[in-house]
C-alpha cells in the first residue's frame, strides 16, 4: 500500500498538494471598492447609493471596514449589499484599509472615502483608462466640494520636500499665497484638459492596480489614525516609477471635514503635525526631520499670539485655537514620544 501511494505521488504529486488543488480559488472580478468608515452616518448612504451608476458596466464588490463607529453608521450599512467588517475600536485608516483589502478579489482596488459621492460612470472612466494604458498604475477623478467648486489645490500636489512642508508649517503659503514654491507644489499651472500625470493626489478616491498594490505593499500603519499615509504611499509608488494620472472626465463630490468635526481642532492638529514629522523622519535626512520638528515648534509659537488676538482660526474661537497650538507645541517638544516605527 505504501509503495502504491509513493507511485501515486510520483505521478500526481503529494496527496496534500492534490487536496490544495481542490480548494476553491476566488474568481477575480473587475473591481473591489474599499471604504473605511468612522462615525460616517452623514455621508455613507449617499456614497453607497452613487456606486451603481458610477460603476456602469463593471463587475464590482464593496468592502466596508467600520472603525468602531458610535453613531448609526453600522445600522445604515446593514441595509446595503456590501461586505461589512465591524471593528470594536478605531484601528486607524491605514490598518483598516489593509485589512479590508485582504478580503477583496478585484483586479483593481478603489480606495474611497465615505464623504465622497461619485458621478455617474466615474469609476468606469477610470477603469477604462487604466485598461488601455498599461504604463499607468493608478487614476483619480477630479474632486469638487458640495457647491461644485474645484478642490484641485487640496487634491493635487507634488511629492512634498523639506522646503514645501516648512513653508506650510510657517504659514508662508497663507502670508504669501502667490509665491512660486507653493504654486509649483500645488500644481497651479497644471492643464487639466486631458489626463495628466500627478505625483500625489489625495486618496479620497483612487483606483490602483492590484498588481501594483501587491508589489509596493500595504499602507504604512505608523500614520495612525489618519493623515500622511496617502502621501507616503504615493511616494512609494514614485520610488518604483509607477505613475498616477488624474482623469478630468471623471468627477466626484468630496464633502470633507468629517473627521475634524468628530476629533476637534486640538486632536486634529496634533495628529496632522505628528504624522507630518513621522513622514519627514521616514523620507528626509535625520537633520531635516529634526529641523522640521523645530520649525513646527516655531510655527506654533508664532500662531499662539495670533490665536490670543482672535486672528487665527476665527471660526473655531480663541480658546479652541489656543488649546490646539499649545497641544502641538507640547507634543513636538516631546518628539511625539509614542511614535511607532514604520511598518513599510
Amino acid at each position: 500500500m505504501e509503495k502504491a501511494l509513493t507511485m501515486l505521488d510520483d505521478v500526481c504529486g503529494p496527496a496534500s498538494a492534490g487536496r490544495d488543488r481542490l480548494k476553491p480559488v476566488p474568481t477575480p472580478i473587475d473591481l473591489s471598492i474599499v471604504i473605511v468608515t468612522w462615525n460616517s452616518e452623514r455621508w455613507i448612504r449617499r456614497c453607497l447609493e452613487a456606486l451603481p451608476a458610477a460603476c456602469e458596466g463593471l463587475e464590482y464588490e464593496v468592502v466596508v471596514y467600520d472603525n468602531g463607529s458610535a453613531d448609526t453608521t453600522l445600522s445604515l450599512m446593514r441595509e446595503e449589499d456590501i461586505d461589512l467588517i465591524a471593528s470594536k475600536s478605531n484601528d486607524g485608516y491605514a490598518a483598516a484599509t489593509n485589512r479590508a483589502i485582504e478580503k477583496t478579489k478585484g483586479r483593481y482596488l478603489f480606495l474611497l472615502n465615505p464623504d465622497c459621492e461619485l458621478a455617474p460612470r466615474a469609476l468606469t472612466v477610470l477603469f477604462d483608462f487604466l485598461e488601455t494604458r498599461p504604463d499607468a498604475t493608478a487614476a483619480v477623478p477630479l474632486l469638487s466640494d458640495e457647491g461644485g467648486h474645484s478642490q484641485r489645490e487640496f487634491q493635487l500636489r507634488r511629492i512634498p520636500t523639506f522646503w514645501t512642508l516648512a513653508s506650510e508649517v510657517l504659514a508662508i503659503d497663507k502670508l504669501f499665497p502667490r509665491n512660486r514654491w507653493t504654486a509649483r507644489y500645488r500644481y497651479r499651472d497644471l492643464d487639466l484638459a486631458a489626463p495628466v500625470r500627478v505625483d500625489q493626489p489625495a486618496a479620497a478616491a483612487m483606483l490602483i492596480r492590484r498588481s501594483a498594490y501587491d508589489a509596493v505593499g500595504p499602507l504604512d500603519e505608523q500614520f495612525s489614525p489618519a493623515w500622511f499615509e496617502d502621501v507616503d504611499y504615493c511616494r512609494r509608488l514614485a520610488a518604483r516609477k509607477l505613475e498616477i494620472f488624474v482623469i478630468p472626465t471623471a468627477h466626484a463630490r468630496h464633502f470633507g471635514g468629517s473627521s475634524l468635526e468628530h476629533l476637534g481642532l486640538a486632536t486634529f492638529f496634533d495628529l496632522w503635525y505628528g504624522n507630518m514629522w513621522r513622514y519627514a523622519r521616514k523620507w528626509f535626512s535625520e537633520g531635516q526631520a529634526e529641523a522640521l520638528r523645530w520649525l513646527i515648534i516655531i510655527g506654533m509659537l508664532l500662531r499662539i499670539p495670533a490665536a490670543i488676538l482672535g486672528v487665527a482660526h476665527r471660526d473655531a474661537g480663541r480658546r479652541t485655537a489656543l488649546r490646539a497650538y499649545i497641544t502641538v507645541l507640547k507634543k513636538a517638544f516631546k518628539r511625539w514620544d509614542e511614535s511607532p516605527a514604520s511598518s513599510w
Side-chain angles (χ1 to χ4, degrees), residues 38 90 225-227 258-268 271:
W38 181 63
N90 190 340
W227 296 291
S258 57
S259 296
L260 179 57
E261 71 182 33
H262 294 299
L263 288 172
L265 193 64
T267 302
F268 170 74
L271 295 172

Side-chain angles (χ1 to χ4, degrees), residues 60-197:
Y60 69 96
E61 63 179 352
V62 182
V63 179
V64 179
Y65 193 104
D66 184 74
N67 262 330
S69 290
D71 60 5
T72 63
T73 300
L74 281 173
S75 61
L76 291 172
M77 289 192 293
R78 288 194 175 106
E79 302 171 6
E80 304 291 338
D81 183 19
I82 61 174
D83 185 357
L84 176 61
I85 305 169
S87 174
K88 294 182 179 179
S89 60
N90 190 340
D91 301 317
Y93 175 79
T97 299
N98 293 340
R99 293 169 191 172
I101 288 175
E102 290 174 0
K103 305 292 184 181
T104 64
K105 55 183 182 292
R107 294 190 296 113
Y108 290 89
L109 300 168
F110 186 61
L111 307 186
L112 179 64
N113 281 7
D115 59 354
C116 275
E117 181 183 1
L118 296 170
R121 302 195 81 252
L123 255 173
T124 307
V125 170
L126 299 181
F127 179 89
D128 289 346
F129 175 81
L130 290 182
E131 284 284 271
T132 57
R133 289 288 298 267
D135 59 311
T137 297
V140 299
L142 276 179
L143 300 182
S144 60
D145 62 20
E146 193 163 7
H149 304 102
S150 172
Q151 290 187 337
R152 60 178 291 169
E153 290 229 348
F154 154 80
Q155 182 189 11
L156 308 176
R157 304 192 185 192
R158 285 184 164 86
I159 295 294
T161 65
F162 169 79
W163 293 109
T164 53
L165 292 184
S167 173
E168 294 204 344
V169 166
L170 297 176
I172 292 174
D173 58 319
K174 299 288 193 301
L175 297 172
F176 306 101
R178 297 182 181 275
N179 74 82
R180 60 181 181 179
W181 298 283
T182 298
R184 183 179 184 280
Y185 174 49
R186 301 198 178 189
Y187 279 117
R188 287 178 183 164
D189 60 342
L190 192 67
D191 184 1
L192 293 175
V196 60
R197 191 185 69 81

